[in-house]
Amino acid sequence: RNVGGTAERTQGNEYREKSKVVLSKKVIRNLDLFPKVESDLTVRTESGGFVTIIGYFVTVILIFAEWLSWRAGNHELIEHLVVDRSLGKKMRVDMNITFPALHCDDLHIDLMDIAGDAQVNAEDNMIKRRLHLDGTFLDVEEIQADTNKHHEADEKLKEARIKIKGENYCGSCYGAQLDKTSCCNTCNDVKSAYKLKGWAFEQVQKIAEQCIFEGKTEPKRMSKGEGCQIAGHMSFKRVNGNFHIAMGEGVERDGQHIHTFIPEDTVNFNASHIIHELRFGPVYESQQTVKKNSYFQIANTLDGVKKIVTEEDGTTGLFQYYMKIVPTTYKGLDLIKSFGVDIEDDLHDNLEPQLETNRYFSTERFTPLMLDVDDEHWELGKKIHGSHEEDSTNSQAGVHVGGKSNHFNEHHKHHKEKQSLLPGVFFMYSIYPFAIEIQKNSVPITHLLIQIMATIGGIFTISSW
């Protein structure tokens, strides 16, 4: 009996297990959202075959389109606007500018900012190259011949000074000497001593015996017959300011930046210029590769600008470029390498590689030195409606300025009027208070796979209808 009872319990357990399996299969079958049709109940038609072929074709096209979209999304640049926190840093400007009709002796670049800091003749990292008026560079022989000519003139002045003053002559520095033994034997020595002291030199220049002896009692007049190309870089604080190339020599006097020149000579300062390159930011080794990238091309909006003044434009004038500098940071190793910049040695652990530079956008303005004036002259007391007394209320009075005066409201030939301005090229810059961070958009490949599966499922679902 015990054996029989054990067998019955075993059969009962097996029955219960089979019931659970059948129940679970039934539940899973009820969850099937894609019921199958017996093959004997389906019919294959030619139209269905054509629809299937079209479905395959459309599927391939859409999958290729999704791949292109995913690929383009990975190359897309995303810009974020953040507050600029780099005001304590310095900014570098690189330039290459040609002045076709401005002598290198008259080309000086000065820099000043709103904080009151100024750099006069900021040419320590600049190179000047002399040009013929046709744009070609002077060769070594021409430069050497000109140098020898000036040297001979200086030697003649020195010999004449020794004959008159003696070999032991020690000229006065007019209070600007560094010590009691300092001597200023030439006009340039006196000028340099006053510049070191930050004193005004113009008044002393008129009475200094050295300047009188050399015939340099007036500010230097413009040199003619040559052009000049200036190229290099300079650094300044990240605050608003300007740098300029203007007529005369810049000096600091009483906390103000002024230029000394002969006013009658302003027409000879030719401000024509060609900006080959002007950018704010560091120079990288593969700069040619960087410049080919479209994202850097929009950063230097003045590259290639050419401005040539003629008599119709006023012979010369004041060029002003207003620039808005936007600090820009490129993030991501792949993005930086795409610019041709190698920063492998600058990478640090757990730090995303960055490339800091600046983009700028500009507007410009030109004011001519000589302005055309077309005066309309009026005769004093001349009447419009005749000379009768009863028409006196309709009369208009005017002032006779010049020229013929026998006709009322007569037009005369125009003439040029000289404006009060400083000829030159001014670059006014302001720092945007926000910075732009740029990085590549990264789209995971799982997004592409999801889109592909959705495309395939959608096409075949629609085709099955």
mmCIF file of all heavy atoms in Angstrom, residues 80-86 326-329 432-437:
data_model
loop_
_atom_site.group_PDB
_atom_site.id
_atom_site.type_symbol
_atom_site.label_atom_id
_atom_site.label_comp_id
_atom_site.label_asym_id
_atom_site.label_seq_id
_atom_site.Cartn_x
_atom_site.Cartn_y
_atom_site.Cartn_z
ATOM 1 N N HIS A 80 28.116 76.985 -27.230
ATOM 2 C CA HIS A 80 27.531 77.322 -25.933
ATOM 3 C C HIS A 80 28.048 78.695 -25.512
ATOM 4 O O HIS A 80 29.237 79.005 -25.667
ATOM 5 C CB HIS A 80 27.899 76.280 -24.870
ATOM 6 C CG HIS A 80 27.395 74.903 -25.182
ATOM 7 N ND1 HIS A 80 26.092 74.514 -24.988
ATOM 8 C CD2 HIS A 80 28.032 73.823 -25.685
ATOM 9 C CE1 HIS A 80 25.944 73.258 -25.345
ATOM 10 N NE2 HIS A 80 27.108 72.805 -25.783
ATOM 11 N N LEU A 81 27.170 79.522 -25.005
ATOM 12 C CA LEU A 81 27.527 80.859 -24.545
ATOM 13 C C LEU A 81 27.748 80.827 -23.040
ATOM 14 O O LEU A 81 26.873 80.419 -22.284
ATOM 15 C CB LEU A 81 26.416 81.846 -24.896
ATOM 16 C CG LEU A 81 26.768 83.335 -24.821
ATOM 17 C CD1 LEU A 81 27.812 83.685 -25.853
ATOM 18 C CD2 LEU A 81 25.518 84.177 -25.024
ATOM 19 N N VAL A 82 28.948 81.241 -22.597
ATOM 20 C CA VAL A 82 29.295 81.246 -21.179
ATOM 21 C C VAL A 82 29.891 82.612 -20.830
ATOM 22 O O VAL A 82 30.303 83.378 -21.711
ATOM 23 C CB VAL A 82 30.305 80.126 -20.830
ATOM 24 C CG1 VAL A 82 29.710 78.756 -21.102
ATOM 25 C CG2 VAL A 82 31.592 80.290 -21.625
ATOM 26 N N VAL A 83 29.942 82.911 -19.553
ATOM 27 C CA VAL A 83 30.528 84.167 -19.086
ATOM 28 C C VAL A 83 32.050 84.086 -19.221
ATOM 29 O O VAL A 83 32.667 83.096 -18.841
ATOM 30 C CB VAL A 83 30.135 84.445 -17.627
ATOM 31 C CG1 VAL A 83 30.804 85.725 -17.125
ATOM 32 C CG2 VAL A 83 28.619 84.560 -17.496
ATOM 33 N N ASP A 84 32.641 85.120 -19.784
ATOM 34 C CA ASP A 84 34.095 85.153 -19.964
ATOM 35 C C ASP A 84 34.761 85.479 -18.631
ATOM 36 O O ASP A 84 34.546 86.540 -18.057
ATOM 37 C CB ASP A 84 34.460 86.206 -21.012
ATOM 38 C CG ASP A 84 35.951 86.242 -21.283
ATOM 39 O OD1 ASP A 84 36.622 85.232 -21.011
ATOM 40 O OD2 ASP A 84 36.445 87.279 -21.764
ATOM 41 N N ARG A 85 35.593 84.561 -18.163
ATOM 42 C CA ARG A 85 36.290 84.744 -16.889
ATOM 43 C C ARG A 85 37.794 84.951 -17.079
ATOM 44 O O ARG A 85 38.566 84.764 -16.148
ATOM 45 C CB ARG A 85 36.062 83.518 -15.996
ATOM 46 C CG ARG A 85 34.579 83.225 -15.728
ATOM 47 C CD ARG A 85 34.410 81.982 -14.867
ATOM 48 N NE ARG A 85 33.017 81.669 -14.642
ATOM 49 C CZ ARG A 85 32.282 82.167 -13.669
ATOM 50 N NH1 ARG A 85 32.827 83.016 -12.808
ATOM 51 N NH2 ARG A 85 31.010 81.834 -13.536
ATOM 52 N N SER A 86 38.215 85.320 -18.261
ATOM 53 C CA SER A 86 39.646 85.408 -18.561
ATOM 54 C C SER A 86 40.117 86.851 -18.713
ATOM 55 O O SER A 86 40.980 87.143 -19.515
ATOM 56 C CB SER A 86 39.955 84.635 -19.844
ATOM 57 O OG SER A 86 39.192 85.135 -20.923
ATOM 58 N N VAL A 326 35.272 88.274 -29.784
ATOM 59 C CA VAL A 326 34.532 87.252 -29.050
ATOM 60 C C VAL A 326 35.510 86.145 -28.635
ATOM 61 O O VAL A 326 36.006 85.405 -29.495
ATOM 62 C CB VAL A 326 33.406 86.654 -29.915
ATOM 63 C CG1 VAL A 326 32.597 85.648 -29.104
ATOM 64 C CG2 VAL A 326 32.507 87.754 -30.452
ATOM 65 N N PRO A 327 35.823 86.022 -27.337
ATOM 66 C CA PRO A 327 36.678 84.913 -26.900
ATOM 67 C C PRO A 327 36.033 83.578 -27.257
ATOM 68 O O PRO A 327 34.844 83.360 -27.011
ATOM 69 C CB PRO A 327 36.762 85.111 -25.377
ATOM 70 C CG PRO A 327 36.434 86.558 -25.156
ATOM 71 C CD PRO A 327 35.442 86.915 -26.224
ATOM 72 N N THR A 328 36.800 82.696 -27.843
ATOM 73 C CA THR A 328 36.280 81.427 -28.343
ATOM 74 C C THR A 328 37.174 80.285 -27.891
ATOM 75 O O THR A 328 38.401 80.386 -27.980
ATOM 76 C CB THR A 328 36.192 81.444 -29.879
ATOM 77 O OG1 THR A 328 35.426 82.578 -30.294
ATOM 78 C CG2 THR A 328 35.531 80.186 -30.402
ATOM 79 N N THR A 329 36.551 79.223 -27.407
ATOM 80 C CA THR A 329 37.275 78.031 -26.964
ATOM 81 C C THR A 329 36.761 76.820 -27.718
ATOM 82 O O THR A 329 35.560 76.547 -27.720
ATOM 83 C CB THR A 329 37.101 77.803 -25.452
ATOM 84 O OG1 THR A 329 37.563 78.962 -24.739
ATOM 85 C CG2 THR A 329 37.896 76.590 -24.998
ATOM 86 N N TYR A 432 33.964 91.234 -25.992
ATOM 87 C CA TYR A 432 32.614 90.767 -25.672
ATOM 88 C C TYR A 432 32.628 90.128 -24.286
ATOM 89 O O TYR A 432 33.527 89.343 -23.970
ATOM 90 C CB TYR A 432 32.159 89.765 -26.722
ATOM 91 C CG TYR A 432 30.680 89.510 -26.745
ATOM 92 C CD1 TYR A 432 29.787 90.535 -27.004
ATOM 93 C CD2 TYR A 432 30.164 88.242 -26.509
ATOM 94 C CE1 TYR A 432 28.422 90.311 -27.036
ATOM 95 C CE2 TYR A 432 28.802 88.002 -26.538
ATOM 96 C CZ TYR A 432 27.944 89.035 -26.796
ATOM 97 O OH TYR A 432 26.596 88.808 -26.819
ATOM 98 N N PRO A 433 31.679 90.461 -23.396
ATOM 99 C CA PRO A 433 31.726 89.926 -22.013
ATOM 100 C C PRO A 433 31.425 88.443 -21.914
ATOM 101 O O PRO A 433 31.592 87.862 -20.844
ATOM 102 C CB PRO A 433 30.659 90.772 -21.293
ATOM 103 C CG PRO A 433 29.715 91.187 -22.373
ATOM 104 C CD PRO A 433 30.549 91.377 -23.603
ATOM 105 N N PHE A 434 30.967 87.844 -22.995
ATOM 106 C CA PHE A 434 30.665 86.411 -22.979
ATOM 107 C C PHE A 434 31.620 85.691 -23.923
ATOM 108 O O PHE A 434 32.115 86.269 -24.900
ATOM 109 C CB PHE A 434 29.214 86.148 -23.401
ATOM 110 C CG PHE A 434 28.199 86.734 -22.474
ATOM 111 C CD1 PHE A 434 27.631 87.970 -22.728
ATOM 112 C CD2 PHE A 434 27.815 86.052 -21.333
ATOM 113 C CE1 PHE A 434 26.691 88.523 -21.878
ATOM 114 C CE2 PHE A 434 26.882 86.590 -20.458
ATOM 115 C CZ PHE A 434 26.315 87.827 -20.728
ATOM 116 N N ALA A 435 31.892 84.438 -23.600
ATOM 117 C CA ALA A 435 32.753 83.598 -24.425
ATOM 118 C C ALA A 435 31.921 82.493 -25.055
ATOM 119 O O ALA A 435 30.865 82.115 -24.539
ATOM 120 C CB ALA A 435 33.892 83.003 -23.597
ATOM 121 N N ILE A 436 32.404 81.987 -26.167
ATOM 122 C CA ILE A 436 31.725 80.912 -26.885
ATOM 123 C C ILE A 436 32.573 79.647 -26.791
ATOM 124 O O ILE A 436 33.777 79.670 -27.088
ATOM 125 C CB ILE A 436 31.485 81.288 -28.352
ATOM 126 C CG1 ILE A 436 30.504 82.459 -28.443
ATOM 127 C CG2 ILE A 436 30.947 80.096 -29.146
ATOM 128 C CD1 ILE A 436 30.226 82.912 -29.850
ATOM 129 N N GLU A 437 31.956 78.565 -26.348
ATOM 130 C CA GLU A 437 32.602 77.259 -26.307
ATOM 131 C C GLU A 437 32.037 76.407 -27.448
ATOM 132 O O GLU A 437 30.820 76.257 -27.572
ATOM 133 C CB GLU A 437 32.376 76.568 -24.966
ATOM 134 C CG GLU A 437 33.063 77.279 -23.807
ATOM 135 C CD GLU A 437 32.860 76.547 -22.485
ATOM 136 O OE1 GLU A 437 32.023 75.608 -22.454
ATOM 137 O OE2 GLU A 437 33.529 76.902 -21.499
#
